[in-house]
Amino acid sequence: MGSDDICHAGVRLPLEGADGRETNLDRFRRHTRWTLTGMFVLFIALFAKDWIALPELAAWARAVAAAALLAMTASLVVLIGRRLPSAGAVAGRPPVAWLAAGGASAAVLGVIPLTLPGQRLWSLAPAVMVSVTAMFLPPERRRVLLAAAIVAAGVIGGTAGTATGDGWRLATAFPAGMVAFTAWTMLGMLWAWDVADRLNRARGMAAELAVKDERLRFAADLHDIQGHHLQVIALKSELAARLADADPARAAAQMTEVQRLAVDALRDTRAVVQGYRRTTLDAELANAAKVLSAAGIDARVEQEASPDVLPDAVRHLLGLVTREATTNLLRHSRARHATIGYRVADGSAHVRVRNDGAAEPSGSGTGLRALADRLEQAGGTLTWRHDGEWFELTGSLPLPAGAGAR
């Protein structure tokens, strides 16, 4: 098993970046990152466009404002990217230099329009920078920062409104509301990302725990069998050693018994291993539904009959078909919907797995070809086909008379 996979009940779950395939979580991370960055940069640029072109603004002030706009754009790209790292990575500490550059740029983009009449959106750039800074703080300090910023924006706005004659009421309420609304929007999108990231980590841990639980179960079964046989073998070997000189016949009988116990231990060990590795259709149908649902795929299992009445060989082979189809679906598609159907018709048992988001066909895989050979040797068939973005895999095996009727 590679380091990029987690095996869950016999099916490998690709983790982030496995096989170079983009995951929904990684796409959501990029969507959140560039939505936050692009949205607020666009708003700040549209607002700055109105007052930078005013004739009463000096040329040097225009140059400073343009430089501040570029510096703040770069700061937002770096800081939001640091707070929303690649899926599975841990958010790093904010780079102090970029925080300082962003804060200075926001101050410039706030102070210059504050001195102009009628520019009520002066608080937008400072509000964005306050929200970006709050993204890196723990909840307690974040609330303190936002509360202080809201009060400061209201005081500054009210003072400026009184001085310019624009009226202090709206000049106080509007910048304070701008800070609160900006923080609500930015931190709300960040909260959605954090929840998705935690759920993804929890899903990975659940898969790892499932593997560990199964290993512990197998180890316990093996310990019970081997421990019993080895203890008896040790006692009888010791007895045979004591009887070797005094009673060779009894010593030989004891060693014959030791040989029989060793053969029994070997047989029981093989039975445990075979039972552990044995694949059955009913188990794989239930497992496929759980694994696909855990991967965020809308999976439906349609059973028209009970698989537990099938012959063991048929249950095993069709279980392998279901497992192979589920593994390929997870590793080689971007499926959103999947249907797994089992039915008995015309004297045969049929399993069909159908999913969307299928990649373009590049030849049948070796796993499918090997599985098709096994079904053909048992008198059955394995077929697969692409239909647009849909992929369908069907396995069929003949049944003895009366089998699978229930």
Side-chain angles (χ1 to χ4, degrees):
M1 185 188 307
S3 60
D4 292 332
D5 289 345
I6 288 180
C7 180
H8 177 64
V11 177
R12 287 185 178 181
L13 290 175
L15 295 181
E16 312 304 335
D19 298 329
R21 183 167 63 91
E22 295 179 337
T23 63
N24 290 330
L25 184 67
D26 199 48
R27 289 195 293 271
F28 179 52
R29 176 191 65 83
R30 287 200 309 274
H31 168 78
T32 304
R33 174 183 177 182
W34 292 113
T35 297
L36 284 173
T37 305
M39 179 173 61
F40 288 107
V41 168
L42 177 62
F43 288 164
I44 294 172
L46 290 176
F47 160 61
K49 175 179 66 67
D50 294 334
W51 56 264
I52 285 180
L54 292 176
E56 57 265 31
L57 190 63
W60 65 268
R62 291 194 186 94
V64 172
L69 182 59
L70 292 176
M72 187 166 184
T73 299
S75 299
L76 290 179
V77 171
V78 173
L79 291 171
I80 294 177
R82 183 67 64 89
R83 182 56 181 82
L84 298 174
S86 299
V90 179
R93 292 185 176 181
V96 178
W98 283 107
L99 276 177
S105 303
V108 170
L109 295 174
V111 170
I112 294 179
L114 188 60
T115 61
L116 301 173
Q119 299 298 325
R120 300 192 184 279
L121 287 174
W122 65 268
S123 60
L124 177 58
V128 170
M129 201 60 215
V130 167
S131 299
V132 170
T133 305
M135 293 171 67
F136 293 94
L137 298 178
E140 296 79 8
R141 297 175 62 186
R142 181 184 301 170
R143 286 191 287 267
V144 172
L145 173 63
L146 294 178
I150 291 172
V151 173
V155 171
I156 295 172
T159 303
T162 302
T164 58
D166 290 338
W168 66 271
R169 289 183 177 85
L170 183 59
T172 299
F174 192 85
M178 177 64 67
V179 174
F181 177 77
T182 303
W184 177 273
T185 304
M186 184 173 290
L187 297 178
M189 296 182 68
L190 175 68
W191 172 78
W193 157 254
D194 287 341
V195 169
D197 189 43
R198 286 195 294 268
L199 288 175
N200 182 70
R201 293 174 185 271
R203 187 181 66 184
M205 292 179 62
E208 291 180 353
L209 288 175
V211 174
K212 291 179 180 179
D213 288 344
E214 184 64 14
R215 288 174 177 170
L216 288 174
R217 184 197 68 78
F218 176 73
D221 290 346
L222 194 60
H223 173 269
D224 292 343
I225 290 177
Q226 293 285 25
H228 170 74
H229 285 295
L230 291 176
Q231 185 175 13
V232 178
I233 288 173
L235 291 174
K236 288 189 171 292
S237 298
E238 181 182 359
L239 179 59
R242 293 177 180 178
L243 293 174
D245 295 331
D247 193 343
R250 289 184 59 193
Q254 292 297 327
M255 292 308 299
T256 300
E257 185 68 13
V258 166
Q259 181 183 15
R260 185 189 65 78
L261 289 170
V263 172
D264 290 344
L266 182 60
R267 184 187 66 249
D268 291 345
T269 301
R270 287 173 177 169
V272 170
V273 173
Q274 289 174 357
Y276 178 73
R277 293 180 177 174
R278 192 71 174 173
T279 302
T280 60
L281 177 58
D282 37 353
E284 289 302 324
L285 288 174
N287 177 65
K290 295 178 182 177
V291 170
L292 294 179
S293 297
I297 299 172
D298 180 20
R300 291 184 301 141
V301 177
E302 301 174 350
Q303 292 183 223
E304 298 182 5
S306 177
D308 58 358
V309 298
L310 296 176
D312 289 343
V314 175
R315 291 176 65 199
H316 176 60
L317 287 175
L318 292 183
L320 291 178
V321 171
T322 306
R323 174 183 292 186
E324 180 71 13
T326 306
T327 302
N328 289 340
L329 193 158
L330 288 169
R331 299 187 65 180
H332 304 305
S333 76
R334 298 179 180 178
R336 299 178 303 276
H337 306 281
T339 302
I340 305 172
Y342 161 70
R343 63 189 180 91
V344 174
D346 301 326
S348 298
H350 307 271
V351 168
R352 188 188 71 165
V353 181
R354 193 168 187 264
N355 64 275
D356 62 357
E360 289 297 325
S362 58
S364 58
T366 56
L368 290 179
R369 289 199 301 269
L371 194 55
D373 292 340
R374 294 188 63 176
L375 263 69
E376 288 177 3
Q377 293 174 2
T381 59
L382 181 68
T383 59
W384 55 90
R385 66 185 181 91
H386 276 83
D387 183 12
E389 70 164 347
W390 289 87
F391 180 81
E392 183 176 295
L393 177 72
T394 303
S396 301
L397 281 173
L399 297 175
R406 190 174 64 192

